[in-house]
Amino acid sequence: MSDFPTPEAPTAPAQTPAATPSAGNPVAQVAGDVVRAVVREVPDKVSLEGLEQRFDERWSAEGTYAFDRSATREQVYSIDTPPPTVSGSLHVGHVFSYTHTDTVARFQRMRGKKVFYPMGWDDNGLPTERRVQNYYGVRCDPSLPYVEGFEPPHEGTDGKNVKPADQVPVSRRNFIELCERLTADDERQFEELWRRLGLSVDWAQNYQTIDATSRAASQRAFLRNLARGEAYQAEAPGLWDVTFQTAVAQAELEAREYPGFYHRVAFHRPDGGEPVYIETTRPELIPAVVALIAHPDDERYQGLFGTTVTSPLFGVEVPVLAHPAATMDKGAGIAMCCTFGDLTDVQWWRELRLATRSVIQRDGRLSRETPEWIAGGPGEALYTEELAGRTTFSARKAVVDALRASGDLDGEPTATQRMTNFYEKGDKPLEIVTSRQWYIRNGGRDWDARDLKAELLARGKELDFHPDFMRVRYENWVNGLNGDWLISRQRFFGVAVPLWYPVTEAGDVDHDHPIVPSEAELPVDPTSQAPAGYDESQRGAPGGFVGDADVMDTWATSSLSPLIVSGWERDEDLFSRVYPMDLRPQGQDIIRTWLFSSVVRSHLECGVLPWKHAAISGWILDPDRKKMSKSKGNVVTPMALLEEHGADAVRYWAAAARLGTDAAFEVGQMKIGRRLAIKVLNASKFALTFGVDPETGAGEIVLDPARVTVALDRAMLAGLADVVEQATAAFEAYDHTRALEVTETFFWTFCDDYLELVKDRAYGAGAAATEVTAETVSARTALALAVDSLLRLLAPFLPFATEEVWSWWRAGSVHHAAWPVAAPLRDAAGDADPVQLTAAGHALAALRKIKSEAKVSMRTPILSASMAVPAALLDGVRSALDDVRGAGRATGTLDVVEAAEGQGNPDVQGGIVVTASELGEPPARKPKA
């Protein structure tokens, strides 16, 4: 149908005497459920344009979303909002998931909760460093001195990467200052976008993961972990990214296919018997081999277990051992264990207590010194002249050439694709190198008598996952852990490990007795501050100290977000009101990182879950059904979408996807959302202008359910009561999509059927200008009651359009209005059945169909008609027959009879058919102006 016109004729005042509200209080409560609402000004032409800016300014000025610090914990609903990574721009996937959270926040606020809804910025870590390097054309060199007033060579490079060789080296302090400068600019842009989207965040409650508060909290938590034995330092093999020169945790791994070659290589028996062939994709690691491993049940190698073989080229003697992790049907069924080629090597090395013969260094090259186990052997010259200091790629070629020459390569290499571990932000396969790193216990290894893994699994069972099937991802991750959480990183822009180490008089660093700051000193930077009792002149000197140069993994800080935003150890009053929190919303891909690590930290520190609920969003897929991500280059930035379609339209698209479900990026859905938002404006304008003075545009609406007396109006309210109950139950179950579906479906029925059916009656058609009948009052009251409830039902999804309509006739904000309840609507509906409205709508559609088929105007009168109606709809049609006549322009006889069995298609107009009809003359067309 077309948008609704304003009333064609003035109407008389409402039957109830008008109230005289003050200018500052245009809405006054009357007894019971009766509300008097004053329509102040309805615009001549409604529009969505400009609503975002106007209402954002108003909400900010009025503190609409400010948290009420006087609320008790029972009155509060607190949200651990994901801090987006500040690394250039938000993408449409952020809009998707953050809209889901905002619908929950708005629902809980309207339910009477005092919503604590903060915003954080995840601005430390590698993404920021990479952006700063490219944006300013610099790189960090901690050996350089600080330069006062340093200005970088670039101020933005239009998205182009500056080659490392062209980046200007700067001190760590200068580099950090540039990180802080750029993230501050990015955060302002992020906030602008979030405001444009209509997030109901309390912008007074915000934090950065690198600000002083977060650094202090992160360091405090680490020191407490250390004191309780939950944090420890170890010299151990770990995953290493040679590009970024940093250790990588298990949770940051990404398995990718990587091209390679299988090489069939001979190891030799000391007795000169048949060689033992292994197949490897990494022959350059033969200098690092420490054993050959086969499955204990493999019959082929039973006679070899407990013996030794010597490695080709280097002649190093190694044992042949059994381990159940060996795969009998892969390759030759026997593998070389090197220190270290992959995580299986680490497992074998640890469980079989093998020797350590590492040759890969942190820079990704083979050791520049000839290892002692090779020195003096047959392969010393090969190593010294061809392998020392080479990249793994160059060393691999040299070893293969040598194997071919020695006859130890059986056949030629065969191409393969192998799954290899990458750092999720890296471009080269990870190496495993031995280094000193900090760990936090997470159940991945035995810890005295404590079964931490079982404790964390139990925490997972306490947590309500939405949707529930996401729980298995948490459980699978915990069960699959094979090591503790590696938290130290060899980077620059991050939270420093808050420790120093004594230097002995002999000049050795004593890592076993770290110098620990007091919590009152935090945050500290050991690379630029001396510990208490020392001064800078003693840094690195015998009898002095050295600072720990590492920073903590960004997840080590982000995992504390529920504690940081809740005021842990800095604002006990706030902490008591919001912690443990109610909701953690997040993406499915970081259950293993952010969600799990947050559970670990809260469990170790507070002995509780950090929140009651976890709402897990799906992914956004591009038109090719691939996940959108910056690394794939297929993301869409959202500001242009907001400018073109409007925030309500974009929010509608996002809210139409359920939690845990992947959704396609679909502009068509946004267009539907925009149409819905515009219809809310037009339908509300139509419904609210009855009883309004056409000259002043002002008037009073009395929301008194007792005034609804007509069966059709009551049937509509009965259906609306059902919708309120269903939408409420859906929101309580964290199913915002279901709440939107039922509300939107009813709204379109309300517009397409009910408004058309009652239009004439609401105008008071046929009555004298001074008369307002009870039937007209019933229609007008029902319309207002429906708009009142529908605005509140739609407010979490379309905050701007609903706030605009609310401002025409109600005080305050719709977002502080009470969530609708079904009881008053049910009382007004009495025993009416929503099917009555359905039946009347089908009957009207059947009448209009005959005009459509005759290709005449819908205003063409029907002089006579016979209508066959299925028995289930018969009472509904008869009870609303006057409204059906008026809306269908049935000016003559309209006979309604029960349809015969099989007559009519139940999928078309509910089975109602017009069996005979006579049309009058179409109305004359109005001449164009």
Side-chain angles (χ1 to χ4, degrees):
M1 60 177 268
S2 61
D3 290 333
F4 305 105
T6 53
E8 297 169 352
T11 55
Q15 292 176 323
T16 301
T20 311
S22 66
N25 182 27
V27 178
Q29 288 287 342
V30 191
D33 295 316
V34 180
V35 174
R36 294 181 184 277
V38 176
V39 178
R40 294 180 289 281
E41 183 177 358
V42 178
D44 291 334
K45 185 177 181 180
V46 299
S47 173
L48 296 173
E49 313 312 321
L51 295 185
E52 291 96 343
Q53 181 177 351
R54 174 151 57 92
F55 285 117
D56 175 59
E57 291 173 355
R58 182 175 129 182
W59 293 335
S60 296
E62 297 179 358
T64 302
Y65 306 124
F67 176 59
D68 182 356
R69 283 290 295 260
S70 68
T72 64
R73 182 64 191 89
E74 293 72 24
Q75 297 171 317
V76 169
Y77 187 88
S78 52
I79 301 172
D80 182 18
T81 317
T85 301
V86 182
S87 56
S89 63
L90 295 167
H91 60 77
V92 75
H94 291 102
V95 167
F96 178 73
S97 57
Y98 283 72
T99 297
H100 296 171
T101 307
D102 193 59
T103 63
V104 175
R106 290 182 180 278
F107 167 72
Q108 293 291 345
R109 192 179 289 112
M110 296 175 75
R111 290 274 276 182
K113 290 289 188 178
K114 308 302 181 184
V115 176
F116 180 69
Y117 190 9
M119 179 59 70
W121 309 113
D122 191 4
D123 45 13
N124 76 65
L126 186 57
T128 298
E129 290 188 23
R130 295 176 71 178
R131 176 159 159 74
V132 166
Q133 288 172 195
N134 288 325
Y135 191 87
Y136 292 120
V138 299
R139 60 181 171 82
C140 183
D141 183 345
S143 68
L144 294 178
Y146 174 70
V147 177
E148 192 77 38
F150 173 78
E151 286 300 321
H154 297 283
E155 189 77 25
T157 55
D158 298 324
K160 299 176 182 177
N161 289 344
V162 179
K163 295 179 180 179
D166 297 330
Q167 293 171 350
V168 174
V170 297
S171 72
R172 178 173 178 172
R173 183 176 166 192
N174 285 123
F175 187 76
I176 289 174
E177 287 179 353
L178 292 175
C179 290
E180 291 170 341
R181 183 200 300 188
L182 189 56
T183 54
D185 290 341
D186 287 342
E187 285 158 15
R188 281 191 290 271
Q189 294 178 36
F190 282 24
E191 181 176 337
E192 179 186 353
L193 189 142
W194 285 147
R195 287 179 176 274
R196 182 70 178 261
L197 183 64
L199 295 192
S200 58
V201 163
D202 180 358
W203 290 104
Q205 308 288 343
N206 64 81
Y207 68 97
Q208 300 167 299
T209 56
I210 200 64
D211 65 21
T213 296
S214 295
R215 293 201 313 273
S218 187
Q219 291 181 338
R220 182 190 311 119
F222 171 80
L223 293 178
R224 293 188 181 185
N225 291 139
L226 180 64
R228 292 192 296 261
E230 297 153 1
Y232 64 91
Q233 193 177 36
E235 182 88 20
L239 293 158
W240 186 268
D241 189 288
V242 299
T243 302
F244 298 113
Q245 289 290 288
T246 186
V248 176
Q250 182 183 353
E252 297 168 307
L253 300 185
E254 187 174 287
R256 304 178 198 163
E257 280 198 341
Y258 192 72
F261 290 86
Y262 271 120
H263 307 78
R264 183 173 166 85
V265 178
F267 278 69
H268 303 285
R269 302 173 191 247
D271 60 6
E274 281 294 313
V276 179
Y277 287 97
I278 60 97
E279 293 185 18
T280 179
T281 58
R282 301 205 63 182
E284 74 277 13
L285 291 181
I286 290 175
V289 68
V290 293
L292 295 190
I293 312 277
H295 195 278
D297 298 334
D298 196 325
E299 295 293 337
R300 293 171 292 179
Y301 303 108
Q302 294 297 315
L304 280 173
F305 294 143
T307 68
T308 62
V309 293
T310 56
S311 61
L313 304 179
F314 303 99
V316 177
E317 189 174 1
V318 298
V320 181
L321 302 172
H323 193 282
T327 308
M328 288 190 281
D329 58 357
K330 182 178 179 182
I334 189 168
M336 65 176 187
C337 175
C338 304
T339 50
F340 296 93
D342 57 24
L343 292 174
T344 303
D345 284 345
V346 176
Q347 179 187 3
W348 287 337
W349 167 81
R350 181 178 293 121
E351 294 180 7
L352 298 175
R353 301 181 181 275
L354 300 173
T356 302
R357 293 174 183 156
S358 298
V359 295
I360 304 294
Q361 306 300 294
R362 287 188 175 193
D363 59 2
R365 295 175 179 268
L366 271 65
S367 172
R368 289 163 178 79
E369 301 293 327
T370 302
E372 60 181 36
W373 59 91
I374 291 175
E380 180 176 14
L382 171 64
Y383 190 93
T384 303
E385 297 170 13
E386 300 291 337
L387 304 182
R390 294 292 186 91
T391 65
T392 55
F393 180 82
S394 298
R396 185 177 307 147
K397 183 178 184 303
V399 168
V400 171
D401 288 344
L403 289 169
R404 190 179 286 115
S406 70
D408 291 320
L409 181 67
D410 183 22
E412 285 301 304
T414 57
T416 184
Q417 289 286 117
R418 58 194 177 99
M419 296 304 293
T420 306
N421 285 323
F422 286 74
Y423 177 32
E424 60 188 0
K425 297 179 174 65
D427 301 318
K428 293 182 179 179
L430 294 171
E431 297 291 353
I432 298 178
V433 301
T434 301
S435 57
R436 183 177 292 276
Q437 304 288 347
W438 280 101
Y439 299 84
I440 290 179
R441 301 189 191 277
N442 66 355
R445 292 184 183 172
D446 294 337
W447 178 24
D448 299 329
R450 183 172 182 180
D451 192 347
L452 183 57
K453 179 177 288 188
E455 294 173 15
L456 295 172
L457 286 169
R459 288 291 181 211
K461 293 187 184 302
E462 292 177 35
L463 183 60
D464 287 331
F465 281 85
H466 306 284
D468 187 68
F469 67 77
M470 286 292 175
R471 182 187 312 277
V472 72
R473 300 196 182 193
Y474 174 92
E475 293 173 346
N476 287 346
W477 175 253
V478 179
N479 282 317
L481 287 169
N482 55 31
D484 286 328
W485 177 13
L486 169 65
I487 65 161
S488 49
R489 296 289 182 274
Q490 291 65 52
R491 300 303 306 173
F492 315 111
F493 190 52
V495 178
V497 176
L499 299 172
W500 299 265
Y501 306 100
V503 177
T504 68
E505 293 298 336
D508 297 322
V509 177
D510 181 4
H511 288 99
D512 295 330
H513 300 90
I515 302 168
V516 180
S518 68
E519 290 189 6
E521 297 175 71
L522 304 178
V524 298
D525 180 2
T527 65
S528 62
Q529 293 173 243
Y534 295 84
D535 59 50
E536 276 299 318
S537 66
Q538 296 173 279
R539 187 180 292 271
F545 70 94
V546 293
D548 196 310
D550 289 351
V551 298
M552 287 188 270
D553 166 21
T554 183
W555 296 114
T557 301
S558 297
S559 62
L560 298 168
S561 61
L563 290 167
I564 292 169
V565 298
S566 298
W568 175 57
E569 296 292 359
R570 77 175 194 281
D571 188 337
E572 284 304 309
D573 177 73
L574 177 64
F575 192 72
S576 68
R577 298 177 193 276
V578 303
Y579 195 87
M581 304 184 83
D582 291 280
L583 177 65
R584 155 63 69 80
Q586 65 164 72
Q588 57 184 306
D589 51 332
I590 52 174
I591 290 174
R592 73 189 193 283
T593 49
W594 193 34
L595 189 146
F596 173 65
S597 60
S598 297
V599 171
V600 170
R601 303 304 288 278
S602 182
H603 177 72
L604 294 176
E605 183 61 39
C606 304
V608 296
L609 274 175
W611 355 259
K612 300 172 186 174
H613 302 272
I616 312 297
S617 292
W619 285 326
I620 294 299
L621 307 178
D622 68 12
D624 295 326
R625 306 301 294 177
K626 295 178 181 177
K627 176 193 172 187
M628 279 192 177
S629 69
K630 290 182 180 179
S631 63
K632 289 185 172 67
N634 61 349
V635 299
V636 175
T637 53
M639 186 58 84
L641 294 172
L642 293 171
E643 291 170 347
E644 179 179 359
H645 302 286
D648 283 348
V650 176
R651 289 173 64 101
Y652 171 88
W653 159 74
R658 281 184 168 81
L659 289 174
T661 302
D662 298 342
F665 173 70
E666 197 173 340
V667 171
Q669 278 285 95
M670 298 178 195
K671 292 179 179 178
I672 294 172
R674 183 173 178 84
R675 178 171 170 254
L676 175 63
I678 292 172
K679 186 64 77 172
V680 167
L681 299 180
N682 280 305
S684 300
K685 177 181 178 181
F686 174 78
L688 297 177
T689 47
F690 296 110
V692 172
D693 187 328
E695 297 296 327
T696 65
E700 182 185 65
I701 293 176
V702 180
L703 297 170
D704 182 358
R707 293 181 166 207
V708 182
T709 56
V710 175
L712 182 65
D713 305 333
R714 289 183 167 186
M716 182 273 294
L717 294 181
L720 182 55
D722 290 343
V723 169
V724 168
E725 289 180 344
Q726 292 167 25
T728 303
F731 261 125
E732 288 175 341
Y734 289 83
D735 188 353
H736 59 265
T737 304
R738 176 62 180 160
L740 174 59
E741 284 174 351
V742 298
T743 303
E744 182 188 8
T745 299
F746 179 87
F747 175 77
W748 285 114
T749 300
F750 173 78
C751 294
D752 296 341
D753 291 346
Y754 180 73
L755 286 179
E756 290 298 316
L757 285 163
V758 303
K759 184 188 300 183
D760 283 356
R761 181 156 52 89
Y763 281 140
T770 56
E771 297 176 0
V772 178
T773 65
E775 290 77 14
T776 292
V777 170
S778 176
R780 293 177 181 178
T781 305
L783 284 168
L785 287 168
V787 168
D788 176 67
S789 291
L790 285 167
L791 288 176
R792 288 180 282 162
L793 288 168
L794 288 168
F797 310 104
L798 312 176
F800 295 103
T802 54
E803 187 78 309
E804 167 71 354
V805 174
W806 198 260
S807 71
W808 299 344
W809 69 309
R810 304 297 291 271
S813 170
V814 67
H815 305 298
H816 276 287
W819 183 255
V821 291
L825 298 171
R826 291 228 181 275
D827 289 344
D831 59 358
D833 188 335
V835 171
Q836 292 176 276
L837 174 57
T838 303
H842 286 323
L844 176 59
L847 293 178
R848 288 184 164 179
K849 182 181 179 183
I850 63 174
K851 299 180 188 181
S852 177
E853 291 175 343
K855 298 182 180 179
V856 297
S857 166
M858 288 297 145
R859 291 186 295 143
T860 301
I862 299 174
L863 302 182
S864 66
S866 295
M867 185 182 294
V869 180
L873 302 180
L874 198 57
D875 288 345
V877 173
R878 285 173 173 165
S879 67
L881 197 57
D882 286 344
D883 287 325
V884 172
R885 284 176 181 277
R889 300 293 188 268
T891 59
T893 59
L894 178 58
D895 295 326
V896 176
V897 298
E898 183 176 342
E901 186 176 349
Q903 186 178 15
N905 183 349
D907 295 327
V908 179
Q909 293 129 207
I912 297 177
V913 293
V914 176
T915 56
S917 64
E918 180 184 357
L919 298 178
E921 288 295 322
R925 291 179 177 272
K926 293 182 180 179
K928 293 184 178 179

